[in-house]
């Protein structure tokens, strides 16, 4: 089924509800879902909930806050910013296999509290069918809390969402997928403010070189070894000796001693 037909099904699903809240991350998945909800129910019947925290880059927060205006909704759509403080959660900071579950559970509990204060009872999440193919502990939290995933229910995968985002002319349709900065810290290495900001500085420096699709992963507590993972289209950009040496210099200026490249890409 083509994405347009799936979009029609998504809007039919949304028409079964008078009002909804959408967990909005600023990424393309939740953006398509939010756009569909606003177009179907009207932006005054939709509450967008955004979790602002130290886990996000400053630029990502700014883009999320600008999304309603950039996509034609302005003040009609309520974007409720919920400040969360994951570095105060011991189960999260220790960075074991349950980190993502704890984070999603505690953030979505805050979302549910906020929306219930405004008389809403249905919270939607932008999980797609491709997300079901990988190990994502956060999905357990969605199930436990009764969060709805309509993109899964109507069969949207990532390619569908990208194409539909382009057709809908969403401002972020071609932005590379992202994730919170904690995913760049190797398991077992405690999550700290210092490490998160270091990773942000590394990635911002690479962005200034013209790279678009990349992540820098911190592999040890001393931040001496980092692994650079890039999208397939980026390999031609970084393999020339001049660019490669510049990348190494930028990362080492911020404390890294070994810079490794993941040849499998993203």
């Amino acid at each position: 089924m083509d994405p347009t037909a799936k979009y029609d099904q998504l809007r039919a699903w949304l028409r079964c509800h008078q009002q909804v809240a959408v967990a909005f991350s600023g990424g393309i998945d939740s953006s398509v879902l939010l756009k569909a909800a606003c177009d179907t129910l009207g932006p005054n019947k939709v509450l967008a909930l955004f979790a602002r925290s130290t886990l996000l880059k400053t630029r990502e927060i700014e883009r999320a806050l600008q999304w309603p205006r950039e996509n034609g909704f302005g003040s009609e759509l309520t974007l409720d910013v919920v400040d969360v403080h994951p570095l105060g959660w011991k189960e999260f900071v220790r960075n074991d296999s349950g980190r993502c579950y704890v984070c999603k559970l505690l953030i979505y509990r805050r979302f549910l509290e906020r929306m219930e204060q405004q008389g809403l009872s249905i919270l939607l999440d932008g999980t797609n069918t491709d997300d079901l193919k990988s190990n994502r502990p956060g999905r357990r939290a969605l199930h436990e809390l009764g969060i709805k995933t309509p993109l899964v229910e109507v069969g949207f995968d990532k390619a569908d969402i990208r194409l539909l985002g382009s057709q809908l002319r969403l401002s972020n349709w071609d932005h590379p997928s992202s994730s919170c900065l904690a995913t760049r810290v190797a398991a077992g290495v405690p999550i700290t403010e210092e490490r998160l900001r270091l990773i942000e500085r590394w990635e911002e420096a690479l962005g200034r070189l013209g790279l678009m699709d990349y992540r820098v992963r911190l592999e040890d507590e001393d931040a001496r070894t980092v692994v650079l993972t890039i999208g397939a289209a980026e390999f031609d950009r970084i393999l020339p000796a001049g660019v490669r040496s510049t990348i190494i210099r930028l990362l080492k200026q911020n404390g890294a001693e070994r810079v490794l490249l993941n040849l499998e890409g993203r």
Side-chain angles (χ1 to χ4, degrees), residues 165-218:
S166 174
Q167 293 172 345
L168 294 172
R169 298 184 178 180
L170 296 182
S171 59
N172 58 341
W173 76 269
D174 60 346
H175 290 180
S177 61
S178 186
S179 60
C180 84
L181 291 171
T183 62
R184 275 79 140 180
V185 181
V189 176
I191 308 295
T192 66
E193 177 73 22
E194 180 182 12
R195 290 177 179 135
L196 296 176
R197 301 284 71 81
L198 177 59
I199 293 167
E200 181 175 15
R201 289 198 300 273
W202 279 335
E203 295 194 351
E204 288 297 310
L206 294 180
R208 289 192 291 271
L209 287 179
L211 296 184
M212 299 292 294
D213 189 6
Y214 57 89
R215 293 181 189 172
V216 178
R217 180 178 172 86
L218 189 156

Side-chain angles (χ1 to χ4, degrees), residues 1-15 32-40 151 154 156 164 167-168:
M1 186 184 302
D2 70 87
T4 302
K6 291 180 182 180
Y7 192 61
D8 291 339
Q9 286 193 354
L10 175 60
R11 297 190 65 181
W13 188 97
L14 288 162
R15 289 190 191 98
V32 165
L33 180 57
L34 183 56
K35 168 71 170 174
C38 289
D39 285 351
T40 304
L151 297 181
V154 299
F156 272 101
L164 188 58
Q167 293 172 345
L168 294 172

Side-chain angles (χ1 to χ4, degrees), residues 58-251:
T58 301
R59 184 173 300 182
E60 291 173 347
I61 294 174
E62 292 172 350
R63 285 174 177 168
L65 297 181
Q66 293 167 359
W67 192 92
R69 177 180 55 81
E70 290 180 346
N71 292 278
F73 295 111
S75 60
E76 294 179 288
L77 172 65
T78 299
L79 177 57
D80 196 347
V81 178
V82 181
D83 287 307
V84 294
H85 306 283
L87 296 185
W89 306 334
K90 293 181 180 179
E91 302 93 332
F92 175 86
V93 169
R94 68 188 180 210
N95 196 19
D96 59 18
S97 60
R99 182 199 70 220
C100 290
Y101 165 75
V102 169
C103 187
K104 187 75 75 174
L105 183 70
L106 295 181
I107 288 176
Y108 276 46
R109 279 179 178 171
R110 289 286 308 279
F111 283 178
L112 290 170
E113 291 170 0
R114 188 67 66 89
M115 56 184 270
E116 287 168 2
Q117 293 171 0
Q118 302 187 41
L120 281 75
S121 59
I122 299 172
L123 178 59
L124 311 182
D125 172 85
T127 297
N128 65 69
T129 58
D130 284 337
D131 295 330
L132 306 181
K133 301 174 184 178
S134 58
N135 180 28
R136 292 178 178 248
R139 288 205 308 270
R140 180 160 63 97
L142 301 183
H143 177 73
E144 292 177 0
L145 295 174
I147 311 302
K148 305 296 184 182
T149 54
L151 297 181
V152 170
E153 294 194 33
V154 299
F156 272 101
D157 61 21
K158 195 69 174 185
D160 293 330
I161 293 168
R162 286 285 183 198
L163 179 57
L164 188 58
S166 174
Q167 293 172 345
L168 294 172
R169 298 184 178 180
L170 296 182
S171 59
N172 58 341
W173 76 269
D174 60 346
H175 290 180
S177 61
S178 186
S179 60
C180 84
L181 291 171
T183 62
R184 275 79 140 180
V185 181
V189 176
I191 308 295
T192 66
E193 177 73 22
E194 180 182 12
R195 290 177 179 135
L196 296 176
R197 301 284 71 81
L198 177 59
I199 293 167
E200 181 175 15
R201 289 198 300 273
W202 279 335
E203 295 194 351
E204 288 297 310
L206 294 180
R208 289 192 291 271
L209 287 179
L211 296 184
M212 299 292 294
D213 189 6
Y214 57 89
R215 293 181 189 172
V216 178
R217 180 178 172 86
L218 189 156
E219 289 293 311
D220 53 39
E221 294 195 26
D222 295 329
R224 293 179 177 177
T225 301
V226 298
V227 175
L228 174 60
T229 302
I230 60 177
E234 304 286 3
F235 279 91
D236 289 342
R237 295 188 185 186
I238 73 162
L239 289 180
V243 177
R244 188 169 65 252
S245 61
T246 301
I247 289 173
I248 293 171
R249 185 177 68 255
L250 285 171
L251 296 176

